Amino acid sequence: MLQQVHGHSSGSDAQSRASLRGDLQDFLGGEAPLHQLEDLTKVNPVTLETVLRCLQVRYMADIFYTNAGCTLVALNPFKPIPELYTPELMQEYHVAPQPQTLKPHIFTVGEQTYRNVKSLIEPVNQSIVVSGESGAGKTWTSRCLMKFYAVVAASPTSWESHRISERIEQRILNSNPVMEAFGNACTLRNNNSSRFGKFIQLQLNRAQQMTGAAVQTYLLEKTRVTCQASSERNFHIFYQICKGATKDERLQWHLPEDATFSWLPNSQRTLEEDCFEVTREAMLHLGIDTPTQNNIFKVLAGLLHLGNIQFATSEDEAQPCQLMNDAKFSVRTSAWLLQLPEDMLVKTLQIRTIRAGRQQQVFQKPCSQAECDTRRDCLAKVVYAQLFDWLVSVINSSIYVDCDSWTTFIGLLDVYGFESFPDNSLEQLCINYANEKLQQHFVSQYLKAQQEEYAVEGLEWSFVKYQDNQTCLDLIEGSPISICSLINEECRLNRPSSAAQLQTRIESALAGRPCLGPNKLSREPSFVVVHFAGPVRYHTAGLVEKNKDPVPPELTGLLQQSQDPLLMMLFPDNPKEKTQEEPSGQSRAPALTVMSKFKASLEQLLQVLHSTTPHYIRCIKPNSQGQPQTFLQEEVLNQLEACGLVETIHISAAGFPIRVSHQSFVERYELLRRLRPHTSSGLHGLYPSKGPFEQPLCAKEATLPAVLRDILYTLPASIGTVATPGDPAEATPAPLYCGRTKVFMTDSMLELLERGRARVLEQCARCIQCGWRRHQHRKQERQRRAAVLIQAAFRAWLTRKHLRRLHTAATIIKRAWLKWRIRMAFLASKELDGMEERPESQAPSPLSSLLPPAQTRLLGAIIRLWPLGLVLANSAVGVQGFQRKQVVYACLQLPSGSPNIQTLQQDQAGITSIRALPQGSIKFHCRKSPLRYADICPEPSTDSVTGFNQILLERHRPIHV
């Protein structure tokens, strides 16, 4: 198989292929790392063989997305993989700091475009071009991208805005099944092939929230309504109404289950797209109510019955062709469904009206059988085309917003893939012409323009040879003579067109053109165009008529007389249009042909693409049978060669994919000047002298702004600071080149710069945090000190208040105590003074006669020293109990026979006062005297004490004498 692959390599001889095969065997020896190569630019060497092998290994491992530099390669898995497109996975790619570090996915491209729109430096409109052959998965890719944008660009600010955003999101998503039902069909290569071009403009406001959308279509293949190739089908909507209609609807639309229609081939096949309920529900969400839907389906049923009208060949040319026997029912049914007069319908199809002369005389001429069939087909095509355009307008009106409510947009282009069938006509010529223009746009945008920009900026670049398709475009649309001009000229000539004559004119006028292939073996009139994807043979039969796309005025007049509400809206009876239909004389302007209209719309589309930042998704079909886990190298190789993928990988890997203007570079990376070293040796110190870039990394240093030079001086310090020590890829500096107006860099260099910028921002954030925290700490310290002072003052006030209260209370107590003490002293002195007036003889000592002399002398001493006697009386040890009592007797001078002595002798509880007997018992608890000699009996003395203030006696335990 490798030999077959090598056979497709151009510009290499057998020796180089042999040596390359040996290198490939070493490289491809281990299949395990191949599926881990998420970018084809990392394949070494970058050849068709290695790229093909890498894609095959990844496809067999169920990895269907691979980066190829600036392009995403998407392989069609041909099987449902729901876990690959879940809303959770969409959010994962949306919230990821660097989505490019995740696995390659269409969500990576979607998130990149969304973040580019949000960029504060250069917010530019974005566009995604989804290209590939028919059946490669372009429609599915576009559908998933719309779901992704509807999820991530929803407005969560308020309930009202969220409701509006949800409504727009739902309508954008619902536009897909409606447009696929009316614009897609089953072809030889794809069961859901888009038969029209579509450019969806998703509109975002300043907050990057989706506010609306707009849909623009290109070149609907309306001939499919009346003519289908073998093994192909009509548009999906016809099969949906025939299979999904209820019994009542079948009766209403005259669609019995056993009915057969000539315009509905292969109706026995059942596809996933034959889901009528999904289409009806989507139309309902778009604002098309049920009565309008029924009206649409009734008109489509009328077109199916119109296709069953067959005419018989007339033997007399002066007589119109008659209807076939089984066609009368179809005429009656079709006229009833379309609300047209039956007689007028038949007459319009059979007779042609001709206006001739300056007076515009009207002549009627019967049509031949072929002309009747052509007019019938034209009537069906014009009705279906108008219906499709009306549906697009309804979709746009449901999702349209004012221009003031959105600022940027993301364009999503889904166009036909390159087509080459056994029978190719005008439709395939226009489709392949569009693909040629898009391929040239891709080449000019990412290959030729990039190399030219390197040369303008002064970058020495080893130019990569790429396949330029300008010669093919010159053959198709060039001036003054091209295929388009010759076909349009045949349309303007008032003569019948001959297929052989058109072939002869093309071959003779364009002889010598490199892209006009040889056409010697064809039996039918045709010509060959060598496109970028391969040669295609176009048959000239019917080519001019299709390009004219004539709509006879009588057909338009017939449709204007319809009583059907939908047809009345699609074909209004406007008198102004009638006056402008057929200008007379030489002032008649040339009619616009299909190719002219398509070319004008294509040029308008390319202008929109040139004004945006494009992103490319290349869809690859692994096999033409639609089988999963089947990778046919021949077919994939042809697609890789057709899309120029290898040239893209070469130039993306060897060049500088990141290009930033000086102003934008300075605005974003001026922060890196903070990392400027103290000593710099100039720009030559950026990188070592030996390496892949030996030329100077900048243009003339004097021409660079000073700020930019300072930033470039800081790059070695910033790179050395942010590089990971253990990463060998970052051990050597990443390449960067400063041109005359732009700065060129690789992805690795951009990553280093972003990490350095993040480091500077982190340092600035830390400085701001430190300053803020210092301010907060000082503020809190001042507040703490103020709080301490306030608390101290308050506590001092409380203490002073408390002390004043205590002082006042002490003063009152002291004053009351002094008053009581003075009063007691006064009473004691008064009583003692009364005791001193009595004669001493009148009060003989009652103890002198009772006690021995020694005790009498001791008692006298105690009486003279009454304080000591009081202490001895209260002492627990010392003199005997009887002596104590004697001391008490002597001190109180009580008679021996008085009742008070008896009370004391009886050891009654309480205290006896010298003033009066107590009314109740009074108990005093006295501690041991702290005096040193309080319990020692003093020597008796002759001195006597005649009075004392107050004596308190404490009850003691009884003393036995």
Side-chain angles (χ1 to χ4, degrees):
M1 203 64 184
L2 283 174
Q3 295 179 359
Q4 296 178 3
V5 173
H6 280 289
H8 287 81
S9 298
S10 59
S12 59
D13 53 7
Q15 294 181 356
S16 63
R17 285 200 298 267
S19 61
L20 181 60
R21 189 181 299 111
D23 297 337
L24 287 176
Q25 291 299 331
D26 297 338
F27 172 71
L28 300 176
E31 277 195 13
L34 271 181
H35 71 277
Q36 299 177 2
L37 295 177
E38 297 180 348
D39 197 330
L40 295 179
T41 58
K42 298 180 181 179
V43 177
N44 190 22
V46 182
T47 60
L48 277 175
E49 294 81 3
T50 55
V51 169
L52 186 65
R53 184 60 177 167
C54 182
L55 290 176
Q56 182 177 7
V57 173
R58 290 176 64 85
Y59 182 76
M60 292 304 176
D62 286 344
I63 304 175
F64 308 107
Y65 295 105
T66 308
N67 291 324
C70 56
T71 307
L72 178 68
V73 180
L75 295 172
N76 193 340
F78 290 119
K79 61 180 180 180
I81 309 176
E83 65 274 7
L84 200 59
Y85 308 98
T86 59
E88 292 78 14
L89 190 61
M90 297 180 187
Q91 289 294 335
E92 180 181 353
Y93 278 85
H94 179 56
V95 302
Q98 294 181 346
Q100 60 272 16
T101 59
L102 301 177
K103 294 182 179 181
H105 204 284
I106 56 175
F107 298 156
T108 306
V109 181
E111 182 61 24
Q112 183 180 1
T113 57
Y114 185 68
R115 295 192 181 187
N116 289 348
V117 171
K118 294 177 61 177
S119 174
L120 299 179
I121 297 180
E122 293 180 358
V124 184
N125 297 326
Q126 306 289 310
S127 61
I128 301 178
V129 180
V130 184
S131 60
E133 287 191 1
S134 179
K138 301 185 301 298
T139 303
W140 174 261
T141 301
S142 302
R143 188 188 309 170
C144 293
L145 284 173
M146 291 179 63
K147 290 182 179 179
F148 175 79
Y149 288 124
V151 170
V152 303
S155 173
T157 54
S158 63
W159 170 252
E160 182 67 21
S161 60
H162 178 70
R163 186 180 61 83
I164 296 175
S165 176
E166 196 175 47
R167 176 179 58 84
I168 295 174
E169 168 193 344
Q170 188 64 32
R171 289 187 176 181
I172 292 175
L173 296 180
N174 285 326
S175 65
N176 269 332
V178 175
M179 300 189 72
E180 289 181 9
F182 285 85
N184 290 20
C186 176
T187 62
L188 293 175
R189 296 187 177 183
N190 186 10
N191 291 338
N192 190 28
S193 176
S194 298
R195 309 318 301 163
F196 68 102
K198 178 174 59 177
F199 182 73
I200 302 176
Q201 191 181 74
L202 304 177
Q203 300 160 351
L204 308 175
N205 58 10
R206 296 184 182 274
Q208 285 75 49
Q209 298 165 352
M210 188 183 299
T211 59
V215 181
Q216 186 176 0
T217 58
Y218 303 95
L219 191 63
L220 175 68
E221 190 187 10
K222 55 185 178 182
T223 56
R224 183 168 291 271
V225 178
T226 60
C227 180
Q228 303 84 26
S230 176
S231 301
E232 292 191 356
R233 301 204 318 174
N234 207 327
F235 291 105
H236 293 321
I237 188 62
F238 292 104
Y239 299 90
Q240 291 180 3
I241 61 176
C242 290
K243 296 181 180 181
T246 61
K247 292 183 179 181
D248 296 338
E249 291 172 344
R250 288 179 181 276
L251 293 176
Q252 183 181 358
W253 302 335
H254 294 273
L255 295 175
E257 294 184 359
D258 56 348
T260 58
F261 300 97
S262 59
W263 288 350
L264 207 65
N266 301 314
S267 59
Q268 69 278 2
R269 294 182 58 184
T270 301
L271 302 179
E272 182 183 356
E273 290 74 19
D274 297 340
C275 188
F276 190 43
E277 292 300 327
V278 174
T279 304
R280 301 200 67 163
E281 184 178 357
M283 295 175 70
L284 194 62
H285 283 289
L286 290 174
I288 305 176
D289 53 8
T290 303
T292 306
Q293 293 182 24
N294 294 332
N295 197 359
I296 294 173
F297 302 140
K298 186 178 70 172
V299 171
L300 294 177
L303 296 183
L304 289 179
H305 286 281
L306 184 66
N308 288 344
I309 299 177
Q310 302 294 331
F311 293 91
T313 304
S314 176
E315 297 180 357
D316 187 3
E317 294 182 357
Q319 298 297 326
C321 299
Q322 299 299 321
L323 295 172
M324 301 289 289
N325 294 329
D326 54 350
K328 296 181 179 180
F329 172 77
S330 298
V331 170
R332 185 166 55 254
T333 306
S334 178
W336 183 84
L337 291 174
L338 298 177
Q339 295 293 305
L340 295 173
E342 182 179 348
D343 297 338
M344 185 174 293
L345 173 61
V346 175
K347 182 179 179 181
T348 304
L349 296 180
Q350 291 175 338
I351 300 176
R352 181 166 53 124
T353 302
I354 301 175
R355 298 177 182 270
R358 294 184 178 181
Q359 298 179 358
Q360 292 294 302
Q361 296 181 359
V362 180
F363 301 92
Q364 291 185 349
K365 178 183 178 182
C367 298
S368 62
Q369 181 186 6
E371 291 176 346
C372 291
D373 293 341
T374 302
R375 294 169 72 87
R376 176 202 61 198
D377 296 347
C378 181
L379 180 63
K381 289 188 293 184
V382 70
V383 171
Y384 194 83
Q386 287 293 108
L387 177 60
F388 184 81
D389 293 339
W390 176 78
L391 284 174
V392 174
S393 65
V394 170
I395 293 174
N396 284 328
S397 63
S398 64
I399 58 180
Y400 170 79
V401 292
D402 296 332
C403 297
D404 298 335
S405 60
W406 61 275
T407 56
T408 56
F409 69 86
I410 299 176
L412 190 59
L413 179 61
D414 177 16
V415 294
Y416 347 76
F418 184 82
E419 292 185 353
S420 178
F421 300 114
D423 186 8
N424 301 291
S425 187
L426 182 68
E427 294 81 10
Q428 282 70 39
L429 180 60
C430 293
I431 289 173
N432 294 337
Y433 167 57
N435 281 272
E436 289 283 353
K437 296 289 287 186
L438 292 176
Q439 175 67 14
Q440 187 193 43
H441 177 262
F442 172 76
V443 169
S444 62
Q445 186 70 25
Y446 281 100
L447 303 180
K448 183 171 64 178
Q450 189 174 12
Q451 293 183 7
E452 291 178 355
E453 188 175 16
Y454 291 160
V456 171
E457 293 291 335
L459 173 62
E460 295 182 6
W461 175 259
S462 58
F463 290 94
V464 177
K465 294 182 180 180
Y466 58 88
Q467 183 180 0
D468 191 0
N469 61 343
Q470 184 60 44
T471 56
C472 183
L473 288 174
D474 292 338
L475 175 66
I476 298 176
E477 64 170 3
S479 178
I481 300 177
S482 62
I483 294 177
C484 290
S485 63
L486 292 175
I487 296 176
N488 290 334
E489 185 178 352
E490 286 289 329
C491 295
R492 288 192 295 269
L493 295 176
N494 190 11
R495 66 180 184 184
S497 177
S498 172
Q501 185 178 0
L502 178 61
Q503 176 190 359
T504 304
R505 289 197 62 187
I506 292 176
E507 291 179 350
S508 60
L510 302 175
R513 298 292 181 93
C515 291
L516 185 64
N519 186 25
K520 297 180 180 180
L521 301 178
S522 177
R523 298 180 180 179
E524 299 178 358
S526 61
F527 61 92
V528 178
V529 177
V530 182
H531 293 279
F532 74 96
V536 179
R537 184 183 305 276
Y538 300 98
H539 295 277
T540 57
L543 194 64
V544 176
E545 292 297 325
K546 290 182 179 180
N547 191 36
K548 288 181 180 179
D549 192 22
V551 179
E554 52 268 25
L555 293 183
T556 305
L558 172 66
L559 293 173
Q560 289 176 351
Q561 295 184 13
S562 173
Q563 300 301 318
D564 185 79
L566 180 61
L567 293 179
M568 293 174 63
M569 180 174 53
L570 296 180
F571 301 95
D573 188 6
N574 193 349
K576 295 182 181 180
E577 294 182 356
K578 289 185 178 181
T579 59
Q580 299 176 0
E581 280 182 0
E582 294 289 339
S584 60
Q586 301 296 331
S587 62
R588 181 174 61 180
L592 290 177
T593 61
V594 173
M595 294 198 70
S596 300
K597 296 177 183 179
F598 183 72
K599 183 179 178 181
S601 61
L602 189 59
E603 291 294 336
Q604 183 181 3
L605 173 64
L606 289 175
Q607 289 180 2
V608 175
L609 293 180
H610 281 298
S611 64
T612 62
T613 301
H615 304 263
Y616 290 90
I617 299 178
R618 297 290 191 181
C619 297
I620 302 296
K621 183 169 58 175
N623 59 85
S624 58
Q625 293 77 24
Q627 298 294 329
Q629 293 294 316
T630 302
F631 191 92
L632 300 181
Q633 294 186 358
E634 291 287 341
E635 297 184 9
V636 176
L637 183 59
N638 293 333
Q639 297 177 65
L640 292 180
E641 289 178 338
C643 66
L645 189 61
V646 175
E647 287 79 7
T648 306
I649 296 171
H650 269 300
I651 201 168
S652 299
F656 302 98
I658 309 299
R659 302 181 297 272
V660 184
S661 63
H662 286 175
Q663 180 181 359
S664 300
F665 186 84
V666 170
E667 289 177 357
R668 186 164 185 85
Y669 300 112
E670 189 177 2
L671 294 172
L672 296 179
R673 299 173 65 186
R674 295 175 177 267
L675 300 177
R676 182 175 182 176
H678 297 289
T679 59
S680 61
S681 59
L683 296 177
H684 301 286
L686 276 172
Y687 302 104
S689 58
K690 296 182 180 180
F693 293 90
E694 296 182 358
Q695 71 275 10
L697 289 176
C698 291
K700 294 183 179 180
E701 187 174 348
T703 62
L704 298 179
V707 179
L708 183 60
R709 289 200 301 268
D710 292 343
I711 297 175
L712 295 178
Y713 288 151
T714 61
L715 288 182
S718 61
I719 291 173
T721 304
V722 302
T724 305
D727 193 352
E730 298 178 356
T732 59
L736 178 142
Y737 186 89
C738 184
R740 295 184 178 93
T741 61
K742 294 182 180 180
V743 178
F744 297 83
M745 70 188 80
T746 59
D747 292 330
S748 57
M749 186 63 190
L750 179 64
E751 183 179 357
L752 289 176
L753 290 176
E754 288 296 327
R755 288 165 61 180
R757 181 174 178 269
R759 179 174 173 270
V760 175
L761 291 177
E762 183 180 359
Q763 292 178 355
C764 296
R766 288 180 179 178
C767 292
I768 295 174
Q769 290 177 357
C770 291
W772 175 252
R773 290 171 181 171
R774 187 184 302 111
H775 167 71
Q776 288 291 103
H777 180 71
R778 291 177 178 176
K779 182 179 179 181
Q780 292 176 0
E781 185 65 21
R782 289 194 298 267
Q783 292 177 352
R784 188 185 65 81
R785 292 178 181 177
V788 170
L789 291 177
I790 294 174
Q791 290 176 0
F794 184 70
R795 288 170 181 169
W797 177 78
L798 289 179
T799 304
R800 287 193 297 270
K801 181 179 179 181
H802 182 63
L803 290 177
R804 283 196 296 268
R805 292 180 61 186
L806 293 179
H807 180 71
T808 303
T811 303
I812 295 174
I813 294 173
K814 182 178 179 181
R815 187 177 299 136
W817 167 253
L818 291 177
K819 287 173 63 179
W820 180 83
R821 186 175 179 181
I822 293 173
R823 184 178 179 184
M824 291 297 104
F826 174 74
L827 294 176
S829 62
K830 183 177 181 181
E831 183 178 356
L832 291 177
D833 291 342
M835 293 294 296
E836 290 178 355
E837 291 178 359
R838 295 178 184 179
E840 189 174 345
S841 60
Q842 294 180 1
S845 175
L847 301 175
S848 59
S849 58
L850 299 175
L851 297 176
Q855 293 182 356
T856 302
R857 288 193 299 269
L858 179 59
L859 182 60
I862 292 173
I863 293 173
R864 287 193 299 270
L865 298 175
W866 63 269
L868 294 178
L870 181 61
V871 171
L872 290 175
N874 292 314
S875 177
V877 294
V879 191
Q880 298 179 0
F882 176 75
Q883 293 179 352
R884 292 177 181 171
K885 293 183 179 182
Q886 293 299 323
V887 171
V888 173
Y889 296 158
C891 290
L892 298 179
Q893 296 181 1
L894 299 176
S896 58
S898 65
N900 292 336
I901 296 177
Q902 295 177 1
T903 305
L904 289 173
Q905 291 178 355
Q906 294 176 2
D907 293 329
Q908 294 179 357
I911 299 175
T912 304
S913 174
I914 60 174
R915 292 348 184 234
L917 293 176
Q919 297 297 327
S921 62
I922 300 174
K923 183 184 294 184
F924 287 87
H925 298 277
C926 299
R927 283 184 271 177
K928 185 177 180 181
S929 176
L931 299 179
R932 189 172 183 179
Y933 301 101
D935 56 346
I936 299 176
C937 182
E939 292 294 334
S941 175
T942 57
D943 298 331
S944 60
V945 179
T946 59
F948 44 86
N949 294 332
Q950 185 178 2
I951 298 176
L952 299 177
L953 301 178
E954 183 181 2
R955 180 173 59 87
H956 297 278
R957 286 178 292 183
I959 300 175
H960 302 281
V961 181

